[in-house]
Amino acid sequence: MRSRAYDEVTVGETLPELPVPLTRTLIVATAIASRDYQDVHHDPGLAAERGSPDVFMNILTTNGLIDRYVTEWAGPAAEVKAIKIRLGAPNYPGDTMVLTGTVTAKHDEDRRVEIAVRGANRLGAHVTGTVAVRLPGGAES
Amino acid sequence: MAQTEQDGYEKRLGEFAGREAAPPRPGPDPVNVPMIRHWVEAMGDRNPVYLDEEAARRTGRAGIVAPASMMQAWTMRGYAAATAGQDDGSGLGELIALLAEGGYTSVVATDSEFAFHRELTVGDHVGVREIIESISPEKKTALGAGRFVTTERTYLDQHGETVAVQRWRMLWFRPARTPPGGREPAALRPRPAVNRDNAFWFEAAREHRLVIQRCDACGALRHPPGPCCPRCGSYGWDTAEASGRGRVYSYVVSHHPRHPAFEPPYVVALVELEEGTRLVTNLVGVAPEEVEIDMPVALEWLDPDPELSLPVFRPVTA
Amino acid sequence: MSGLSGRAAIAGIGATEFSKDSGRSELRLACEAVLAAVADAGLRPSDVDGMVTFTADSSSEIHIARSTGMGELRFFSRVPHGGGAACGTVQQAAMAVATGVAEVVVCYRAFNERSGQRFGLGRADAPSGAGADDAAFAWVSPFGLFTPAQWVAMFARRYMHEYKATGEDFGRVAVVDRKHAATNPAAWFYGRPITLADHQASRWIAEPLRLLDCCQESDGGQALVVVSAERARDLPHPPALILAAGQGSGDDQHMMTSYYRPEITGIPEMGLVGRQLYGQSGLGPADVDAAVLYDHFTPLVLPQLEELGFCGRGEARDFIADGHLEVGGRLPVNTHGGQLGEAYIHGMNGIAEGVRLVRGTSVNQPPSVRHVLVTAGTGVPTSGLMLGTDR
Ligand SMILES: [Zn+2]
């Protein structure tokens, strides 16, 4: 994986789209990997009792996927400085979330780049937010 | 609830603002490679700096680091605590009980805002301290009536140094009755892009004031606002408060596409204020087929979520 | 007549098939359209020295030039504002050719607008930055007004109110477009005309707009080759002379939401374009033998007829009901089927039809066409062309 340098990034540039197939296994596996055992993230019967049509992805996983999305683009040298998200439509099994992103700001003083991120499923926006990463200065090998 | 009872409930809720949600508590395990591996496998994250010492050093780091987004996971209490129930005598436990008293028994996380001070390395031991920041008035949401509870979580390392701060918001709600076949999930209205030229308008709206930008040199009113007066060129401006009375200049009844925050058919109107400027808004309290151009309307406020307040209009008799 | 009039000509046109799922990249579509247009002009890719497209296009000219073996380019330019750019690309090319800055300029637009990113779904949750262009949507999107059909519906409702127009008046535009498309083998709706009753029975999208008031969403590409008039005379097809080319942004212009002007039933930016077209060419509305009017949504065809002087304010509904848009009428319009009937290629396929009308090769060719007026997107800063036969 190549690391992106601060100077090669321009405001307005878009990140490649990342479709994330939302399998039931993904939703359960990521909930457990984040040590989140709330029933709505793994038990369809109890989720229905609570008024949800099915289990849905937990917010820690949304954070994790957005972190992955931005650092895949930015490369291993990037340091994540902030992840701010707001959730909308839930991620249910069988859907696909498509992540998109746009560079919205650059801060020369600490080589920090801000990226507006959106993850949409067929119900609408699952997540909108911004991620800030610090990038290396010169071009890296 | 009766009004006095209601006031009492609000007051009891309000007393939680500023309280500690839970005493500082260290996570069950220090930062370790097996949990990182479990996380990155599940997330599909192939960044080598999380598992490969050599790759991490090539990026200038001392060794393996944990994914930033994993911060909260280090402090999750896990299976035993999740199944043992919520009331643990903490401030948050008391608040949850009080919310249940108001019928707010279901919960979803809606916002997470992380600022990371440093990366975590293997052996770090993270704990969290959580302060209750605010409890919103009751809001109508697509999930049901509810209250947003905002807390601030400070993540501390084994030396007591802050490694991250997280603003965390959950919606506690009374589940709406589920129609057969399931129901639309909660969704937020599209966010306005707020910048230096338009922020004043949205900030005034948060205070339920409908303002119109006014040139301080020639007095011209303008909406949508801008940094400079097209009539005289002045950069100076203040605002005039709108009376809130106006007429429907045109309107749209939207059916398609479906957006989860809007229940079709819904009415979007172009309202001409008596001050002379127009704005795009929604009409409430009127069926789409009853809307007419030139219909007199009056201002009301809609708070679709804690971050957004919008002026809407209701037909009135002239 | 201006210094631009008659100096340049469209000598080649080329397109891909028009579909709902091309199965190919947008760059591939652009290459196919460009190579077809260059071949139609009787030229080789290496003859091309300039390229123009929309700021909205995803394929920069360098990718096409590299892929098609054009070699060096000495002129490249892009025109903003969505479909309003269409005729503006030809204006850029004509100015470059007329001034000798370039000799062979290709204008192009290609996208997978149906199988890829669909404009019709709107920009409700588009990531937004702090710039003025994004912030402009803050005044509409939070209220649920975030699609092109919705934006146009606001104008349409006011137009109906002021001029007592009806949904059927809009529907007649769709019917004539689909009638023309029905005999055009390149059109998506080839062989599938509609009646006014079909229009009235179609579902609401954003009242007063019905499904059949809205153009298609299409995958495809279209390219045009612009050279000097002299050079065009030596190439295989009769030249389509560029008698005039203009752009227009009106007073108090917004992107699709110019709702704050004293009147919102006209399209002042199109009036501005029309005045330039007539001024540059020395022609008037009576000299125009056919037109290609941008038809992403039917209601905005009516004020175009008024702004361009083909009828008076509020009279477009009668002009249309009297059959003047049909072949054999006073002003045959969208003889290829328009974007409702042929394909939505952001107005570029309409310019190609303008060229065919001048060449005399439209599938619905009216007799004796000498001057064709072509318009670009409405609701946005726009552009237009007056094309004409040679001598
Ligand atoms: Zn002024």
Side-chain angles (χ1 to χ4, degrees):
Chain A
M1 290 169 93
R2 201 182 73 86
S3 289
R4 206 167 281 268
Y6 179 76
D7 292 335
E8 35 177 337
V9 174
T10 53
V11 171
E13 110 175 60
T14 55
L15 280 60
E17 273 186 15
L18 176 67
V20 181
L22 304 171
T23 63
R24 191 170 291 278
T25 306
L26 175 81
I27 287 167
V28 176
T30 50
I32 301 310
S34 54
R35 291 176 56 75
D36 185 343
Y37 291 86
Q38 284 204 67
D39 48 38
V40 291
H41 304 312
H42 62 261
D43 187 326
L46 288 174
E49 269 180 40
R50 294 181 195 283
S52 174
D54 203 337
V55 299
F56 55 92
M57 181 177 282
N58 70 335
I59 189 170
L60 278 74
T61 298
T62 306
N63 267 327
L65 291 173
I66 282 191
D67 186 346
R68 168 193 157 193
Y69 176 58
V70 171
T71 51
E72 259 180 24
W73 167 81
E79 182 183 344
V80 177
K81 298 306 292 179
I83 303 176
K84 299 181 180 183
I85 63 167
R86 161 162 289 194
L87 296 192
N91 270 342
Y92 293 121
D95 206 342
T96 296
M97 174 172 70
V98 178
L99 287 162
T100 52
T102 307
V103 176
T104 54
K106 290 181 70 179
H107 302 280
D108 294 348
E109 62 277 14
D110 54 356
R111 298 193 313 275
R112 191 160 44 89
V113 171
E114 286 175 26
I115 299 113
V117 178
R118 175 174 189 255
N121 59 35
R122 65 177 168 224
L123 298 172
H126 164 67
V127 58
T128 51
T130 58
V131 177
V133 288
R134 176 147 66 208
L135 298 184
E140 298 237 335
S141 56
Chain B
M1 276 191 238
Q3 191 57 46
T4 47
E5 206 181 325
Q6 180 67 42
D7 293 347
Y9 185 72
E10 292 292 335
K11 185 162 174 291
R12 285 161 69 205
L13 276 178
E15 282 163 0
F16 280 89
R19 271 189 66 178
E20 196 173 64
R25 99 186 112 74
D29 292 291
V31 173
N32 63 84
V33 173
M35 279 178 62
I36 295 177
R37 185 187 313 284
H38 193 179
W39 172 279
V40 298
E41 277 183 7
M43 298 295 162
D45 195 328
R46 296 190 305 273
N47 190 335
V49 301
Y50 304 140
L51 293 173
D52 179 343
E53 286 283 345
E54 194 46 46
R57 278 196 286 272
R58 276 199 301 273
T59 64
R61 294 174 169 95
I64 285 175
V65 295
S69 52
M70 228 186 136
M71 183 67 69
Q72 194 172 358
W74 299 115
T75 66
M76 294 291 278
R77 290 182 304 161
Y79 177 69
T83 50
Q86 292 274 12
D87 193 355
D88 50 4
S90 66
L92 192 58
E94 281 179 47
L95 175 58
I96 290 167
L98 183 57
L99 287 165
E101 191 184 314
Y104 311 109
T105 52
S106 293
V107 63
V108 286
T110 60
D111 295 76
S112 162
E113 299 184 357
F114 260 117
F116 301 103
H117 293 206
R118 73 164 173 90
E119 293 183 315
L120 296 183
T121 58
V122 172
D124 274 328
H125 202 154
V126 181
V128 65
R129 187 173 66 211
E130 185 167 16
I131 306 289
I132 299 166
E133 213 172 74
S134 64
I135 298 116
S136 80
E138 185 175 289
K139 303 275 183 179
K140 288 199 176 68
T141 78
L143 287 172
R147 291 172 185 269
F148 291 90
V149 176
T150 307
T151 65
E152 185 179 79
R153 302 162 64 105
T154 305
Y155 294 83
L156 305 162
D157 67 10
Q158 58 277 18
H159 310 296
E161 299 288 327
T162 299
V163 290
V165 178
Q166 179 187 25
R167 175 153 293 110
W168 176 248
R169 185 172 293 133
M170 305 192 83
L171 171 66
W172 288 87
F173 62 99
R174 293 187 207 109
R177 207 199 312 271
T178 311
R183 127 185 79 68
E184 290 300 310
L188 297 165
R189 286 187 172 219
R191 302 287 95 185
V194 174
N195 68 9
R196 286 174 180 167
D197 292 327
N198 69 12
F200 74 93
W201 193 91
F202 289 96
E203 282 160 14
R206 291 284 297 276
E207 299 163 4
H208 289 189
R209 293 186 300 115
L210 177 60
V211 297
I212 309 169
Q213 192 179 44
R214 176 172 57 196
C215 175
D216 71 359
C218 75
L221 295 174
R222 52 185 198 261
H223 185 86
C228 183
C229 177
R231 198 159 87 177
C232 76
S234 169
Y235 289 102
W237 55 269
D238 60 5
T239 58
E241 193 130 350
S243 72
R245 288 184 294 273
R247 286 179 182 274
V248 173
Y249 189 80
S250 189
Y251 66 97
V252 175
V253 180
S254 188
H255 295 258
H256 182 85
R258 294 291 304 263
H259 183 288
F262 299 94
E263 186 65 44
Y266 61 93
V267 182
V268 187
L270 182 62
V271 163
E272 187 163 289
L273 298 174
E274 65 179 8
E275 289 81 5
T277 58
R278 295 183 202 136
L279 78 160
V280 170
T281 181
N282 294 120
L283 294 190
V284 297
V286 59
E289 60 275 14
E290 288 165 0
V291 179
E292 285 176 14
I293 286 179
D294 287 337
M295 187 178 241
V297 291
L299 173 67
E300 284 190 14
W301 289 94
L302 180 73
D303 301 309
D305 60 74
E307 301 296 323
L308 190 64
S309 295
L310 296 171
V312 297
F313 287 78
R314 182 184 292 271
V316 291
T317 45
Chain C
M1 292 200 283
S2 79
L4 190 60
S5 187
R7 300 280 299 278
I10 301 177
I13 57 177
T16 64
E17 84 288 2
F18 303 132
S19 75
K20 301 295 179 193
D21 186 2
S22 73
R24 323 202 275 296
S25 71
E26 294 184 332
L27 174 59
R28 163 92 186 244
L29 296 178
C31 290
E32 290 180 22
V34 166
L35 287 177
V38 170
D40 183 62
L43 296 168
R44 291 164 307 179
S46 57
D47 294 323
V48 177
D49 62 353
M51 295 191 83
V52 188
T53 187
F54 295 44
T55 53
D57 202 277
S58 70
S59 306
S60 288
E61 69 294 305
I62 53 172
H63 303 301
I64 297 160
R66 190 172 65 238
S67 301
T68 59
M70 284 179 186
E72 295 175 336
L73 296 179
R74 50 189 178 138
F75 174 71
F76 26 92
S77 176
R78 283 188 166 220
V79 185
H81 305 306
C87 298
T89 64
V90 176
Q91 185 195 40
Q92 290 283 304
M95 291 192 297
V97 166
T99 52
V101 163
E103 290 180 8
V104 178
V105 181
V106 177
C107 305
Y108 66 97
R109 177 79 173 112
F111 53 24
N112 287 321
E113 198 279 327
R114 179 61 182 79
S115 65
Q117 175 103 41
R118 297 175 62 182
F119 302 161
L121 295 181
R123 47 166 297 119
D125 298 301
S128 55
D133 288 343
D134 281 343
F137 293 100
W139 306 112
V140 292
S141 295
F143 300 96
L145 198 77
F146 47 71
T147 70
Q150 293 171 330
W151 296 325
V152 168
M154 194 71 88
F155 294 112
R157 175 67 71 185
R158 186 71 197 184
Y159 185 94
M160 291 169 77
H161 174 76
E162 290 195 18
Y163 297 130
K164 305 289 173 269
T166 67
E168 294 195 343
D169 294 323
F170 302 149
R172 287 190 185 92
V173 175
V175 171
V176 76
D177 268 353
R178 291 287 294 270
K179 179 180 178 180
H180 294 159
T183 53
N184 173 9
W188 178 255
F189 286 116
Y190 175 56
R192 287 182 283 173
I194 58 167
T195 64
L196 197 53
D198 293 333
H199 171 270
Q200 291 291 295
S202 67
R203 66 187 165 95
W204 291 121
I205 299 298
E207 291 179 56
L209 269 64
R210 298 179 180 277
L211 178 66
L212 290 178
D213 288 307
C214 305
C215 74
Q216 313 174 52
E217 296 185 283
S218 305
D219 286 9
Q222 175 76 58
L224 311 159
V225 178
V226 176
V227 298
S228 71
E230 297 76 54
R231 184 156 185 182
R233 290 179 186 114
D234 299 331
L235 296 176
H237 293 287
L241 290 184
I242 299 164
L243 300 179
Q247 288 186 307
S249 167
D251 188 24
D252 199 12
Q253 179 77 54
H254 293 252
M255 187 74 181
M256 295 303 290
T257 56
S258 300
Y259 298 150
Y260 314 97
R261 295 163 166 168
E263 306 278 335
I264 66 166
T265 51
I267 312 176
E269 50 278 10
M270 191 61 80
L272 173 58
V273 167
R275 291 194 296 281
Q276 295 176 81
L277 297 184
Y278 296 135
Q280 289 178 23
S281 66
L283 301 170
D287 302 310
V288 178
D289 304 305
V292 180
L293 301 182
Y294 201 88
D295 58 346
H296 51 2
F297 301 99
T298 59
L300 291 186
V301 172
L302 280 71
Q304 285 189 77
L305 291 165
E306 297 163 10
E307 292 284 356
L308 295 168
F310 297 112
C311 60
R313 297 271 168 198
E315 293 172 4
R317 65 192 183 103
D318 298 324
F319 186 82
I320 295 168
D322 290 344
H324 289 312
L325 306 193
E326 315 242 351
V327 177
R330 155 71 195 88
L331 184 75
V333 162
N334 298 350
T335 42
H336 58 320
Q339 301 193 92
L340 281 94
E342 186 181 65
Y344 174 73
I345 311 294
H346 243 165
M348 292 296 268
N349 51 323
I351 302 174
E353 176 66 4
V355 172
R356 285 187 292 266
L357 285 164
V358 168
R359 290 179 180 178
T361 60
S362 167
V363 291
N364 294 304
Q365 183 70 32
S368 66
V369 171
R370 290 190 312 144
H371 306 123
V372 180
L373 192 155
V374 185
T375 63
T378 47
V380 292
T382 188
S383 53
L385 294 173
M386 186 77 81
L387 301 177
T389 51
D390 196 14
R391 302 209 171 97

